[in-house]
Each structure stands twice: as C-alpha cells, then as structure tokens.
C-alpha cells in the first residue's frame, strides 16, 4: 500500500466507485456514510429506483472491470416511446446507429455491487451511520455527528446534492466561494407498474414478463407536466410523474431556457386549457383518480397500486447546484452531485459523476498524489463541462415534456435518425452527450445547439423528411466544426 489515505464522505454511486479506483492504485480509503449498510438492511437507495446508464458511465465502469457485470442485469432502451393523449404510441429512436442505446439499471443493485467490489480490496473500510456535519478547513479534518474527527492525506466529498462538506466550504472560510441553487417548480413522485404476472391477462401488451414495451423509455408528454417509465429487470416499471408543486404558479415558460427544439405551438394533449394541475391539487383519492384517468388513461389499468403509491411515496424536489472552487488546496475536493447536481432529464447525473472519477484518475496518473495540483487541474478541466450538462439537462426537460409531442420535433428526430444511418460522422446532440464518451459535454452542447438550430429550421419548412436533401444538410453540418466552438481547446 502507498502511504496515502483518502477519506471519502458518502458511499453513494460516486463514492463507492471512487473507492475502487483509489484502491486499485493501492491507496487506502476510509468511506464514511450517513445511512446504514444497504447490503445488510433495507435502506432506501434514495432518489430514483432505477436510472439510465449510458456510455460515459459505462466507460468509467469498464476501467475497473465492472461494466459487463452491471450490464448483465440492465434493460436496454432503444428510444423514447411516446404516449400521446389520444392516438397511437410512437417510438423515437435514440440513434440511427446499431448498438447505441441506454440501459435501465437498478440504483440499489449498482450501489451494492460497487460497495462489494470496493470492499474486496484490503485497504478499503466502510463506516456506516456516520454523518459528516462539518469540515475543518484549516486542518482538513471531517467532523462526524458522532463527534469523531477523521483525517487522512485528503478528503473527497461525494455526499450528494445536499453536501455537508460543500456547506462547510461555503460557510467556513473558503474565500470567494461561488454557489447557486436553482429549484425547478416541478417535483417528482415515483409510481409502479408491476410485472405482467401480477396483472390481469387482458391489460398487458402480450409479453410474458413486461406489461408494456420493455426496450424503451416511455414518456407521456402533457406540455406542463409529464410521466415517464423505465423498465426494471424483474419485469416491472418505475414510473415518475413530474408535476408542478403548485398548480397556481405554473406557467408553461417559467424559468424556461431558450431551446431550439421547442415547438412553435405547444400540443396540450389532454390537458385542457385552464385545467390546473399540481401536486397541491391532488390531495384525495378522487382527485388522483380523476387526474390519472384524464391524463394517462392507457397507464391507469397497469397501475393497480396507484392511489396507495401516490399517497405513500414522497414527492421529491429537483434542482441544479453549481459552485466553485471545488477544492481547498489539496485538503479537500467536491465530486459528483456534491459539486454539480443536475436535473435528471438527460439521464446524465450519475454518468457525469462517473466521468468525474475517470478524469480524476487520469490526473492522478499524470501528477501522482500531489493532490493540490490534481484538484486544480481537475476543476479547470471539468467545470466548463459540468456547467454544460447542467444547462442541457434543464433544456431537455422542456424537450421531453412538450417538444416530443410536437410534429416538427418528431420530424427533426426522424431526420437525425436518417442522418445517423447514412453518415458515420454525424451525431445528434443527444448522441454526442449520451454515446460519445470521448467528447466533452461542452463541445456536445456547443455543436449540438448549432445543429439543432439548423435542423429545426429545415423541419419547420419541410412537410416530410423524405423531401429533404440529406447531402446538402450534412455539408452544412460538417462546417459546424469544433474549431468554431467557443470551448477552449485545452478542455476539449
Ligand atoms: P448520491 O447518489 O446522492 O450519493 C450521496 C451519498 O452520500 C449517499 O449515500 C448519502 O446517503 C451520503 N451522504 C449524504 N450526506 C452525507 C453526509 N453528510 N455524511 C455522510 N454521507 C452522506 N443520473 C443518471 O446518470 N441517469 C439517470 O437516469 C438518472 N435519473 C435520476 C432520476 C432522479 C429522479 C434523480 C433525482 C436523479 C437521477 N439521476 C440520474 C442523477 C443521479 O441520481 C445522481 O447524479 C447520482 O446519484 C450522483 O451520485 P453521488 O454519489 O454524487 O450522489
């Protein structure tokens, strides 16, 4: 073992994977986790039950030999399956290329597998029910609620969006610490579609295990709100309803960033103009049933525990956290959601946190355990990219919620699919973010927005994708090169 010891705060997804990376370098690691050990007792994994794992996250798992193991129990999702208020469902593929898809994976299963793998290394110790409450910015000691003070060569805080270490940095003497937190006015609630064998035969779609198409991310876009569903390996689905906390303050454009893909005229689907929907209106069984029957009639027969789930599952908040600097010299570093929590609409929060670890590891390769140099360089490389994914994740909320139901947007997706099928060098913005782990988020954002602008203009004018001359478009797209990007070359 080296003489280094790293203190990790938080044994969530990022903390557990980071412990493996460091252990492989023969660095000793002590991980302090506020919750109990989820391997021994039923401990809520927190936040979403399942999540979408894509190429950036897979690349980080691959480096520690965990990709195959994790993907063995994942359900591939090849596109968005749109459930309009009326009419047929429609599949919008994520990519026109073979082999480009995202994977629905259990959060608890992944977290447990990462902890087990970390625990196999002799230098790794986990300490559960140890909540960090403060960090002494002078000594670099982490202070636990139990009164314990722990220290090592450095502290890496992976204690999530509400990070105690970040709070200590903000309030305890890191000069000029920039911090912003923006809450979405929408909250979320998880609901459940059981596997087919738990449902009456007549309501399924014909599969023995899954009640609806398993290989897709389902979306019920309703303009001011939406529901999504991701498949679980056991045949069930976890649905998430994203809805305003308050019906009264909801305006469709509140806080909405400029998104090139937004529809000119929003398709309100079943949501009649004037109908006010918000969690605050859904206070009794009748209101919940009426809302779901009106807005998601095809999903209701698949949700036998809808009302019970609605009133027993918590309503979560969604927000974006940005802050900087992320380090106190070489004493401490914020990583993952602790440094940059994003809203979940690009399915990138965990993938980005895993990419953080891969980049940090490359810098340890370059600079050894000169933590200050590693952290300074890490912040310089990473901040521009985590800001980019935070912005894109907010924009994607509006895309999923209403643009997916818009005919112009649907034409644009069809055109992007055709371009991807025809030209190996063409990647849509979604593909650049999701399937190109070699491309920094900031470049994907820059180039993707320029492409979106061009393609939306073309699709607004075209009646059908078949009328569009692909060769002319690809030439224009090729001219949008990274050289014209605003992202400095040094961080690309
Ligand atoms: P966390 O997973 O939050 O882990 C933090 C850990 O620290 C926890 O174990 C916690 O108990 C512990 N902790 C907290 N405070 C303390 C303390 N004071 N002391 C000690 N321990 C502490 N990302 C994707 O890539 N794909 C998706 O599809 C996706 N879907 C999502 C859906 C929803 C509804 C939400 C809310 C998020 C989603 N995300 C998704 C984002 C993803 O969940 C996060 O980005 C990811 O969990 C970040 O990992 P982390 O380890 O940094 O933080």
């Amino acid at each position: 073992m080296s003489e280094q010891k790293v203190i990790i705060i938080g044994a969530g997804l990022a903390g557990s994977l980071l412990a493996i990376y460091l252990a492989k370098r023969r660095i000793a690691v002590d991980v302090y986790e506020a919750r109990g050990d989820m391997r021994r007792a039923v401990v809520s994994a927190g936040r979403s039950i399942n999540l979408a794992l894509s190429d950036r996250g897979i690349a980080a798992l691959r480096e520690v030999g965990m990709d195959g193991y994790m993907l063995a129990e994942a359900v591939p999702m090849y596109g968005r399956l749109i459930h309009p208020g009326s009419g047929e469902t429609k599949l919008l593929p994520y990519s026109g290329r073979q082999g480009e898809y995202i994977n629905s994976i259990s959060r608890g299963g992944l977290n447990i597998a990462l902890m087990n793998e970390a625990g196999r290394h002799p230098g790794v110790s986990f300490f559960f029910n140890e909540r960090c409450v403060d960090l002494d910015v002078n000594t670099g000691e982490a202070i636990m609620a139990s009164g314990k003070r722990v220290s090592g060569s450095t502290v890496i805080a992976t204690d999530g969006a509400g990070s105690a270490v970040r709070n200590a940095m903000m309030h305890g003497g890191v000069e000029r610490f920039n911090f912003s937190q923006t809450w979405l006015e929408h909250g979320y609630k998880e609901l459940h579609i059981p596997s087919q064998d738990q449902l009456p035969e007549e309501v399924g779609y014909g599969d023995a295990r899954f009640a609806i198409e398993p290989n897709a991310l389902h979306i019920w876009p309703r303009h001011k709100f939406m529901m999504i569903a991701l498949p679980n390996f056991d045949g069930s689905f976890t649905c998430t309803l994203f809805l305003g906390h308050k019906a009264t303050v909801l305006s469709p454009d509140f806080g909405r960033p400029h998104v090139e893909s937004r529809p000119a005229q929003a398709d309100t689907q079943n949501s009649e103009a004037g109908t006010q929907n918000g969690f605050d209106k859904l206070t009794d069984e009748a209101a919940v049933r009426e809302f779901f029957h009106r807005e998601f009639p095809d999903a209701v027969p698949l949700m036998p525990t809808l009302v019970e789930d609605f009133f027993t599952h918590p309503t979560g908040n969604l927000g974006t956290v940005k802050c900087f600097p992320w380090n106190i010299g070489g004493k401490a570093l914020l990583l993952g959601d602790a440094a940059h929590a994003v809203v979940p609409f690009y399915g990138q929060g965990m993938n980005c946190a895993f990419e953080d670890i891969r980049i940090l590891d490359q810098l340890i390769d370059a600079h050894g355990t000169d933590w200050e140099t590693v952290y300074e360089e890490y912040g310089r490389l990473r901040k521009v990219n985590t800001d980019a994914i935070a912005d894109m994740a907010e924009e994607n909320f509006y895309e999923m919620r209403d643009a997916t139901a818009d005919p112009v947007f649907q034409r644009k997706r069809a055109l992007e699919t055709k371009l991807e099928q025809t030209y190996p060098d063409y990647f849509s913005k979604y593909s650049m973010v999701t399937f190109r782990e070699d491309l920094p988020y900031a470049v994907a954002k820059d180039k993707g927005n320029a492409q979106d602008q061009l393609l939306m203009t073309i699709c607004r004018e075209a009646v059908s994708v078949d009328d569009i001359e692909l060769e002319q478009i690809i030439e224009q797209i090729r001219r949008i090169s990274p050289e014209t990007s605003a992202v400095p070359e040094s961080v690309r």
Side-chain angles (χ1 to χ4, degrees):
M1 298 298 290
S2 88
E3 288 183 354
Q4 295 282 320
K5 181 195 265 191
V6 174
I7 307 293
I8 295 179
I9 308 295
L13 297 172
S16 304
L17 180 62
L18 177 63
I20 302 173
Y21 267 80
L22 294 172
K24 281 191 169 282
R25 293 189 170 276
R26 304 181 65 75
I27 294 173
V29 185
D30 286 353
V31 189
Y32 289 85
E33 165 58 45
R35 297 176 299 191
D37 186 347
M38 63 167 75
R39 296 168 297 180
R40 312 222 184 295
V42 181
V43 175
S44 159
R47 318 181 109 215
S48 59
I49 288 163
N50 55 18
L51 20 70
L53 172 68
S54 54
D55 287 34
R56 292 174 198 265
I58 295 169
L61 291 172
R62 190 182 305 123
E63 294 204 1
V64 292
M66 294 284 289
D67 54 326
Y69 181 78
M70 289 324 310
L71 289 172
E73 293 212 345
V75 184
M77 298 182 288
Y78 297 108
R80 295 163 168 162
L81 202 130
I82 308 301
H83 296 248
S86 55
E88 294 282 292
T89 56
K90 188 174 176 123
L91 181 72
L92 305 180
Y94 280 128
S95 166
R97 261 179 289 270
Q98 291 285 319
E100 288 185 350
Y101 53 85
I102 61 176
N103 304 278
S104 180
I105 193 163
S106 150
R107 178 188 292 268
L110 175 57
N111 210 149
I112 286 173
L114 293 173
M115 283 197 284
N116 282 340
E117 178 61 21
R120 269 192 265 281
H121 293 269
V124 176
S125 307
F126 284 95
F127 302 88
F128 295 100
N129 300 308
E130 288 282 7
R131 175 172 294 279
C132 174
V133 289
D134 204 356
L135 179 87
D136 185 324
V137 294
N138 298 312
T139 61
E141 287 172 306
I143 303 160
M144 303 295 147
S146 60
K148 206 187 270 180
R149 295 176 81 94
V150 298
S151 64
S153 319
T154 188
V155 171
I156 304 185
T158 51
D159 52 346
S163 173
V165 175
R166 188 185 65 226
N167 280 343
M169 286 168 69
M170 185 159 44
H171 301 299
V174 174
E175 283 187 4
R176 294 178 295 283
F177 186 81
N178 291 300
F179 173 77
S180 71
Q181 182 164 39
T182 320
W183 294 109
L184 215 62
E185 65 170 31
H186 288 67
Y188 71 97
K189 190 178 284 286
E190 291 196 313
L191 301 164
H192 185 64
I193 294 178
S195 55
Q196 180 64 69
D197 59 359
Q198 318 232 342
L199 287 166
E201 230 174 86
E202 65 276 11
V203 298
Y205 97 117
D207 188 89
R209 259 171 86 205
F210 294 91
I212 47 177
E213 164 61 51
N215 295 121
L217 188 153
H218 294 257
I219 309 183
W220 288 258
R222 296 295 181 265
H223 181 45
K224 290 180 188 168
F225 56 91
M226 69 172 168
M227 184 166 79
I228 66 169
L230 272 72
N232 296 311
F233 196 65
D234 66 2
S236 66
F237 286 79
T238 301
C239 305
T240 311
L241 172 66
F242 296 98
L243 178 68
H245 285 290
K246 290 194 175 139
T248 44
V249 296
L250 259 187
S251 70
D253 288 322
F254 178 84
R256 181 181 190 150
H258 173 75
V259 192
E260 211 26 73
S261 53
R262 69 198 258 189
Q265 183 110 58
D267 175 357
T268 55
Q269 302 286 335
N270 272 15
S271 299
E272 307 137 31
T275 302
Q276 298 207 317
N277 296 302
F279 279 115
D280 63 337
K281 299 279 172 197
L282 303 179
T283 50
D284 60 36
E285 179 172 344
V288 170
R289 286 200 189 283
E290 192 277 324
F291 171 74
F292 275 82
H293 276 287
R294 172 167 34 94
E295 302 295 349
F296 313 117
D298 61 333
V300 172
L302 308 169
M303 304 170 86
T305 54
L306 168 65
V307 172
E308 189 190 330
D309 293 346
F310 194 91
F311 289 110
T312 52
H313 296 178
T315 306
N317 291 313
L318 297 165
T320 302
V321 171
K322 290 182 179 170
C323 67
F324 208 71
W326 289 336
N327 65 311
I328 311 171
K331 287 190 190 119
L333 176 74
L334 304 173
L335 184 142
D337 274 18
H340 47 72
V342 302
V343 291
F345 305 108
Y346 234 111
Q348 284 295 312
M350 166 193 65
N351 289 289
C352 176
F354 284 6
E355 188 174 79
D356 284 353
I357 296 167
R358 195 163 64 88
I359 303 289
L360 185 74
D361 188 62
Q362 287 170 3
L363 293 170
I364 299 174
D365 233 8
H367 304 291
T369 51
D370 172 357
W371 297 111
E372 180 159 7
T373 305
V374 168
Y375 294 170
E376 290 288 329
E377 180 69 0
Y378 171 81
R380 198 185 64 73
L381 285 175
R382 209 63 195 131
K383 174 71 172 149
V384 61
N385 289 308
T386 61
D387 281 352
I389 188 57
D391 296 344
M392 288 191 284
E394 282 187 13
E395 289 163 12
N396 217 38
F397 175 49
Y398 300 98
E399 177 169 314
M400 288 174 81
R401 195 187 66 169
D402 45 31
T404 52
D406 175 50
V408 177
F409 176 81
Q410 293 188 354
R411 263 200 305 280
K412 173 178 159 277
R413 278 308 295 160
L415 176 58
E416 288 181 312
T417 305
K418 253 182 132 175
L419 286 166
E420 284 182 336
Q421 284 162 348
T422 316
Y423 304 103
D425 62 329
Y426 173 77
F427 291 85
S428 69
K429 178 162 91 175
Y430 185 87
S431 291
M432 287 190 271
V433 169
T434 311
F435 307 123
R436 293 280 309 270
E437 80 257 16
D438 59 319
L439 206 66
Y441 285 122
V443 176
K445 179 184 172 203
D446 233 30
K447 197 169 174 191
N449 283 348
Q451 282 180 188
D452 278 357
Q453 211 167 353
L454 175 70
L455 296 183
M456 281 302 279
T457 308
I458 291 165
C459 289
R460 251 179 232 122
E461 284 155 17
V463 179
S464 155
V465 172
D466 298 332
D467 304 335
I468 298 172
E469 180 49 64
L470 293 188
E471 198 56 38
Q472 268 178 21
I473 296 172
I474 194 69
E475 281 314 315
Q476 282 174 272
I477 287 172
R478 283 180 183 139
R479 284 197 286 275
I480 309 169
S481 66
E483 289 76 57
T484 59
S485 155
V487 183
E489 198 172 348
S490 55
V491 298
R492 270 188 229 144

